């Protein structure tokens, strides 16, 4: 089945763009669903109110969507408009943008830094930040509501390939870089760098927090998947199984599953607590042998994203296809065409998938269904119980297998 197109945001083109390239390596939704951000290539990041994008898609279809949005937002930003409404911002980051991440603050979550009572920035409850990782190794932090630059974090020596905020509102930011390190920053402590995580022997491509912020997953130019304890800043384990570079990772909403995408043409779904591969989604049939999986082919998987329903996964591969999978089915439930796709992510409510390519973004309506009561109960239990505790419950073995996503 083909997935239905929801809309598109097209970056303006100029003659030099065709020569220099406008790769869009990152797209992101704000945690509260208020904003959408993407890199238009080169140095430019666009911040757009997501609700107005949706309204524009519904009223104008998919043609010339970016221009329609810009026109509507220009009127909104006039002096007579309400200042409380979200505004569009075009941000010049000063260097090529490789990564984006939204972060929101919870005042109750104090900084981990002690003995410092004075801070330059008082991040409040209504604060929404955008972190941008740049080609020169810098990370710039922006105020989403005003578009102003707040912080300039400098410590990486190579490209900042990925960024992720802890979901708990602590404003802990982790950056993954080509300098083979991950760095942990505390934005409530004015962006102080707290820790350097070392273990990767080559470029680090991606990182993701578990929903409870206790575990960090990182992947890179090796076949291993790294899991880190974010309370002790120590490595928990390596997950072995991929046959080529692992380039993307994401936890399920309940934290019971971890999806990883690799150039070996596969997406693996792991139990991060045990290191067991529970599911395999192949993008080449028959699947390549380990020797050929490690070489060049046209089925490299570039990105993977978990939907908020905990049932669907989206993947994006070099065969010009976007695929939607169910975690309990072997074949895609829907597909969509996309040339040169580089990144994808689900909207906050899971209703739309955004995928970026040459500075533009394309959107699809995602497969939707009412989750069963069993699955909702499973997610509720797995949010608070790791696999080891589930296996010790005095319940039938079939129920244990279901709770562990083994059936």
């Amino acid at each position: 089945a083909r997935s239905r197109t929801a809309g598109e945001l097209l970056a303006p083109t100029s003659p030099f763009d065709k020569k220099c390239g406008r790769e869009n390596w990152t797209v992101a939704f704000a945690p509260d669903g208020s904003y959408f951000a993407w890199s238009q290539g080169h140095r430019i990041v666009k911040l757009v109110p997501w609700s107005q994008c949706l309204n524009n898609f519904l009223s104008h279809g998919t043609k010339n969507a970016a221009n329609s949005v810009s026109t509507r937002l220009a009127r909104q930003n006039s002096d007579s408009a309400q200042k409380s409404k979200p505004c569009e911002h075009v941000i010049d980051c000063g260097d090529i943008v490789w990564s984006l991440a939204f972060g929101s603050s919870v005042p109750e979550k104090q900084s981990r830094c002690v003995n410092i009572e004075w801070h330059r920035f008082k991040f409040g409850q209504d604060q929404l930040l955008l972190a941008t990782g740049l080609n020169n190794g810098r990370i710039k932090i922006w105020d989403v509501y005003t578009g102003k630059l707040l912080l300039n974090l400098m410590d990486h020596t190579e490209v900042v390939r990925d960024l992720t905020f802890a979901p708990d509102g602590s404003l802990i930011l982790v950056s993954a870089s080509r300098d083979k390190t991950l760095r942990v920053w505390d934005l409530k402590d004015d962006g102080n760098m707290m820790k350097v995580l070392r273990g990767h022997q080559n470029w680090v491509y991606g990182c993701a927090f578990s929903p409870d912020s206790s575990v960090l997953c990182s992947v890179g130019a090796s076949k291993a998947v790294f899991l880190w304890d974010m309370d002790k800043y120590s490595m928990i384990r390596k997950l072995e199984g991929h046959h080529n570079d692992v380039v993307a990772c994401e936890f399920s909403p309940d934290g019971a599953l971890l999806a990883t995408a690799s150039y070996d043409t596969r997406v693996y779904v792991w139990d991060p607590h045990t290191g067991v591969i529970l599911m395999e989604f192949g993008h080449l049939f028959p699947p390549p042998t380990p020797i050929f999986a490690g070489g060049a082919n046209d089925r490299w998987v570039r990105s993977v994203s978990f939907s908020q329903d905990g049932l669907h996964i989206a993947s994006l591969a070099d065969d010009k296809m976007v695929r939607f999978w169910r975690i309990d089915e072997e074949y895609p439930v829907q597909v969509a065409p996309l040339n040169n796709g580089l990144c994808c992510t689900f909207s906050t409510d899971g209703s739309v998938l955004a995928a970026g390519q040459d500075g533009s973004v394309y959107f699809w309506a995602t497969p939707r269904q009412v989750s069963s009561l069993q699955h909702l109960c499973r997610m509720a239990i797995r949010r608070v119980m790791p696999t080891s505790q589930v296996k010790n419950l005095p319940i039938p073995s079939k129920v244990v297998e279901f709770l562990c996503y083994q059936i």
Side-chain angles (χ1 to χ4, degrees), residues 170 220 232 304:
S170 62
K232 301 176 181 177
V304 65

Side-chain angles (χ1 to χ4, degrees), residues 246-311:
V246 189
V247 294
C249 58
E250 189 165 356
F251 284 90
S252 62
D254 60 3
L257 303 174
L258 172 67
T260 57
S262 170
Y263 288 165
D264 66 8
T265 76
R266 298 172 176 92
V267 168
Y268 284 157
V269 180
W270 311 76
D271 182 330
H273 303 286
T274 63
V276 174
I277 298 173
L278 299 176
M279 296 149 236
E280 176 183 330
F281 300 131
H283 294 66
L284 183 62
F285 185 82
T289 63
I291 294 176
F292 291 100
N297 61 66
D298 61 352
R299 297 293 194 279
W300 282 4
V301 188
R302 295 282 179 179
S303 185
V304 65
S305 183
F306 239 114
S307 175
Q308 284 303 309
D309 64 10
L311 287 172

Side-chain angles (χ1 to χ4, degrees), residues 211-212 214 252-256 273 376-390 393 403 405:
D212 65 0
S214 67
S252 62
D254 60 3
H273 303 286
L376 293 175
C377 291
R378 172 169 61 182
M379 290 185 67
I381 292 172
R382 292 312 308 269
R383 286 182 198 277
V384 297
M385 294 186 71
T387 305
S388 59
Q389 292 183 16
V390 170
L393 292 174
L403 291 177
Y405 290 90

Side-chain angles (χ1 to χ4, degrees), residues 218-253:
S218 64
V219 297
S222 70
K223 302 172 186 178
V225 177
F226 291 70
L227 294 179
W228 307 85
D229 183 327
M230 293 307 287
D231 290 323
K232 301 176 181 177
Y233 302 115
S234 60
M235 188 186 302
I236 301 172
R237 64 171 58 90
K238 290 183 185 180
L239 306 181
E240 307 277 355
H242 279 296
H243 303 291
N244 203 334
D245 292 357
V246 189
V247 294
C249 58
E250 189 165 356
F251 284 90
S252 62

Side-chain angles (χ1 to χ4, degrees), residues 34-46:
S34 59
Y35 272 89
F36 175 74
W38 83 101
S39 164
Q40 291 193 342
H42 307 305
R43 315 184 327 185
I44 304 302
V45 170
K46 199 82 170 281

Side-chain angles (χ1 to χ4, degrees), residues 284-345:
L284 183 62
F285 185 82
T289 63
I291 294 176
F292 291 100
N297 61 66
D298 61 352
R299 297 293 194 279
W300 282 4
V301 188
R302 295 282 179 179
S303 185
V304 65
S305 183
F306 239 114
S307 175
Q308 284 303 309
D309 64 10
L311 287 172
H312 292 92
I313 291 174
S315 66
L316 197 155
D318 282 350
D319 61 355
K320 304 178 181 180
M321 298 296 290
V322 177
R323 291 172 173 84
F324 295 93
W325 311 80
R326 267 187 63 101
I327 60 172
D328 53 1
E329 295 187 20
E330 186 178 355
Y331 299 102
V333 293
Q334 287 186 9
V335 297
L338 179 68
N339 290 333
N340 303 320
L342 297 172
C343 58
C344 67
T345 189

